[in-house]
Amino acid sequence: MGDDFSLKFRQQLLLIEDNLETEDVAALKFLCIDLIPFKKLESVQSALDIFQLLMAEDYLNEEDTFLLAELLYRIKCHFLLKILDYTKERVQQYLPEKGRVSPYRQMLYELAENITSEMLKEIIFLLRNQLPKRQTTIVCRERDKYIYSREGRMGARKSMEKRIFARISHNLLNIIIEAVSFFSFLQKLTSYKMDGPRRGFCLVINNVKFDGDLQERKGSCKDAGELERVFTWLGLDVRIYTDLTSQEIKDLMWTWQHLKDHKDRDCFICCILSHGESGAIYGKDGELVSIRMIMSYFTAKQCPALAEKPKLFFIQACQGKEIQRAVYVEPDARVPDLPSVQQGISPSESIPEEADFLLGMATIDGYASFRHVQQGAWYIQALCSKLQLLVPRGEDILSILTEVNEDVSRRADSLGTKKQMPQPAYTLRRKCVFPVPRDPPPSQQR
């Protein structure tokens, strides 16, 4: 009978764990800080880890599950209470007598729960002298922009700060600081690890001149140079390869697939600038290489050193036939009247069927992408511009690519008739947020 009861208890814990999201696990960790040594909590990866720690500290067992019920109640997972034979009302009834989570911890959690990203920026700005420098980095440039863009208001802003600080007690400051720390901790837990000593490698394949009928891609070297500057600024080791044949592209992917140094890096990025067709890009020899094949070199099975790390691919190439050109604008596609080699393929079909990939396409399937012969490709220039603007604000890559879509969609050729819409596809499991570089963006260093 005892074994049956223990089995039922374990089944209950597993069922609860299956219904908790990453954010819920982070909240449980925070609420348990006063109950479990922090060093033990740091190694927690799942809800089951927390349950094991609570059982080890005699806070949770098959005869007394109230603490777990209280935690589920605190994080508003009321629908899970029935698994433990509790209801929301019953938990509320027993809280005054059996509650373990301190009122102080509850208050911090509730405060952090109600802090939005915009509010966080304002709080860090006001408390910049009290918070550790690492937590203020994200908004420091926003702060400067806010102050100096409003001429004549700088003194008023400082005066307002003094009045606010004069009315906030030292204890309340500590409470807000800890709440902000938890908010930052929650954001970090839901993001890929990007705080290693080395960020990763970035390959830039820049095919400019081609054999046969494919035209020279004028302006592409400007794109390659801009990508090199921006990704170097973001902490990546950038390698540029020019005018590769289809076989050389495959050989290059094989070489980087087997690189041992990936294990010490946070991510991997590959940018390809070339002519293209649906689901493929051209080598300089005029032969197609499947985008899916290129990405498949870096799956967890093929490249274990990059397992569970974000792998980002940005493709500047047409995905359809050439259309009429406007002045100074060329499409990255085959010349007219040459047959398309492949049927239509969506970006999602180009991504390997496993997690942690992102494919940023310059255009949707079947359409041309455009490149100014002097200023570079619309997509690459927008990507580099938005990375420089939004990484210092703490935005993740998907949010940045949404802004890239908006930027490119507003562009047109000199006649106002040719348009373009990029399309990202991804299997990312977490947010991909680049750490804020210490140096100003390349656009501000010129």
Side-chain angles (χ1 to χ4, degrees):
M1 188 72 178
D3 291 339
D4 292 338
F5 192 60
S6 297
L7 177 61
K8 179 184 177 183
F9 179 57
R10 291 196 295 270
Q11 289 174 335
Q12 288 174 323
L13 297 182
L14 283 172
L15 184 57
I16 292 172
E17 199 264 350
D18 287 342
N19 284 276
L20 292 175
E21 303 292 340
T22 304
E23 294 85 351
D24 300 324
V25 176
L28 290 176
K29 289 174 68 172
F30 180 75
L31 291 174
C32 290
I33 286 177
D34 299 326
L35 306 173
I36 300 172
F38 187 73
K39 287 187 177 180
K40 293 183 178 180
L41 280 175
E42 282 185 315
S43 62
V44 164
Q45 298 294 325
S46 67
L48 285 179
D49 292 339
I50 297 177
F51 301 159
Q52 292 282 3
L53 291 173
L54 290 174
M55 287 188 286
E57 298 290 335
D58 292 328
Y59 287 120
L60 176 64
N61 57 65
E62 53 197 10
E63 296 178 355
D64 184 3
T65 61
F66 182 78
L67 175 58
L68 180 54
E70 179 187 1
L71 292 171
L72 295 175
Y73 171 82
R74 297 294 184 196
I75 65 174
K76 298 180 175 59
C77 288
H78 302 144
F79 69 99
L80 295 177
L81 292 173
K82 62 182 180 181
I83 298 175
L84 300 174
D85 297 324
Y86 278 98
T87 63
K88 176 182 175 182
E89 291 73 23
R90 189 177 171 208
V91 172
Q92 290 174 332
Q93 177 184 352
Y94 287 118
L95 274 177
E97 176 186 352
K98 303 182 67 174
R100 291 272 193 174
V101 180
S102 70
Y104 176 70
R105 190 63 49 190
Q106 296 171 38
M107 179 183 62
L108 289 177
Y109 175 71
E110 292 296 330
L111 180 59
E113 277 287 281
N114 289 288
I115 296 177
T116 65
S117 295
E118 290 303 316
M119 290 169 61
L120 178 65
K121 292 177 183 178
E122 292 293 329
I123 292 172
I124 295 178
F125 171 73
L126 293 173
L127 303 180
R128 63 188 184 279
N129 294 327
Q130 279 72 28
L131 287 169
K133 185 177 181 181
R134 181 179 62 181
Q135 295 177 343
T136 63
T137 305
I138 291 177
V139 295
C140 64
R141 292 188 179 89
E142 274 296 287
R143 173 201 62 197
D144 296 338
K145 179 180 176 183
Y146 182 89
I147 293 177
Y148 294 110
S149 65
R150 287 161 174 77
E151 191 171 352
R153 294 191 177 184
M154 188 172 178
R157 182 72 178 187
K158 288 184 176 180
S159 177
M160 181 186 71
E161 285 183 50
K162 289 180 180 179
R163 292 198 303 271
I164 291 175
F165 281 119
R167 295 166 61 183
I168 297 179
S169 69
H170 179 71
N171 289 338
L172 183 55
L173 274 178
N174 289 335
I175 291 172
I176 295 175
I177 289 170
E178 189 164 349
V180 170
S181 299
F182 169 61
F183 188 91
S184 301
F185 164 75
L186 181 60
Q187 286 186 322
K188 183 177 180 180
L189 191 68
T190 57
S191 302
Y192 285 102
K193 181 181 179 297
M194 295 286 275
D195 58 359
R198 298 179 180 179
R199 193 71 56 241
F201 292 102
C202 173
L203 312 185
V204 179
I205 299 175
N206 181 30
N207 282 354
V208 181
K209 296 182 179 181
F210 298 81
D211 303 332
D213 297 322
L214 292 169
Q215 296 181 352
E216 179 180 348
R217 299 182 59 257
K218 297 177 181 179
S220 188
C221 289
K222 178 176 177 59
D223 291 332
E226 194 71 11
L227 288 169
E228 181 180 23
R229 284 188 289 273
V230 170
F231 283 116
T232 298
W233 170 68
L234 291 175
L236 288 105
D237 296 325
V238 181
R239 311 293 170 85
I240 296 182
Y241 302 89
T242 304
D243 295 343
L244 301 185
T245 65
S246 57
Q247 187 58 50
E248 286 172 340
I249 292 174
K250 296 174 186 177
D251 292 343
L252 182 69
M253 295 301 105
W254 187 91
T255 299
W256 283 94
Q257 174 194 65
H258 293 87
L259 188 73
K260 295 181 179 180
D261 288 350
H262 287 311
K263 66 179 181 180
D264 298 323
R265 265 70 175 183
D266 296 329
C267 66
F268 175 75
I269 297 176
C270 180
C271 306
I272 301 179
L273 318 175
S274 187
H275 288 300
E277 293 284 354
S278 179
I281 55 95
Y282 280 104
K284 77 176 296 290
D285 55 351
E287 296 296 323
L288 285 167
V289 183
S290 165
I291 294 172
R292 184 182 182 88
M293 176 189 293
I294 291 172
M295 299 177 71
S296 67
Y297 280 91
F298 302 98
T299 61
K301 182 178 181 180
Q302 298 297 327
C303 185
L306 286 174
E308 299 186 358
K309 298 178 182 180
K311 295 162 277 284
L312 315 181
F313 291 77
F314 299 102
I315 310 295
Q316 169 55 45
C318 278
Q319 291 296 285
K321 291 187 176 182
E322 183 178 9
I323 61 174
Q324 184 177 359
R325 291 192 296 264
V327 179
Y328 295 119
V329 175
E330 298 177 351
D332 276 337
R334 258 190 188 274
V335 295
D337 302 326
L338 289 178
S340 177
V341 176
Q342 295 188 345
Q343 299 297 319
I345 300 175
S346 69
S348 60
E349 292 175 319
S350 296
I351 294 184
E353 294 177 353
E354 74 164 62
D356 309 314
F357 279 92
L358 178 140
L359 173 60
M361 299 293 297
T363 185
I364 59 178
D365 186 58
Y367 288 84
S369 60
F370 294 98
R371 169 178 35 82
H372 193 288
V373 297
Q374 296 173 346
Q375 299 175 4
W378 295 355
Y379 176 67
I380 296 300
Q381 293 304 310
L383 174 65
C384 292
S385 173
K386 295 303 180 182
L387 284 170
Q388 294 178 79
L389 176 66
L390 299 176
V391 166
R393 299 183 186 181
E395 298 286 355
D396 68 284
I397 190 64
L398 293 181
S399 298
I400 292 174
L401 290 181
T402 300
E403 293 292 328
V404 171
N405 280 8
E406 170 69 12
D407 185 312
V408 175
S409 69
R410 291 181 176 275
R411 302 191 185 206
D413 69 329
S414 60
L415 300 178
T417 59
K418 306 299 187 294
K419 304 286 286 185
Q420 180 180 329
M421 173 55 71
Q423 184 177 13
Y426 62 94
T427 58
L428 298 177
R429 296 172 296 115
R430 298 182 175 186
K431 291 184 178 181
C432 183
V433 182
F434 288 100
V436 180
R438 295 180 179 180
D439 298 328
S443 60
Q444 298 180 14
Q445 296 180 24
R446 298 171 184 172

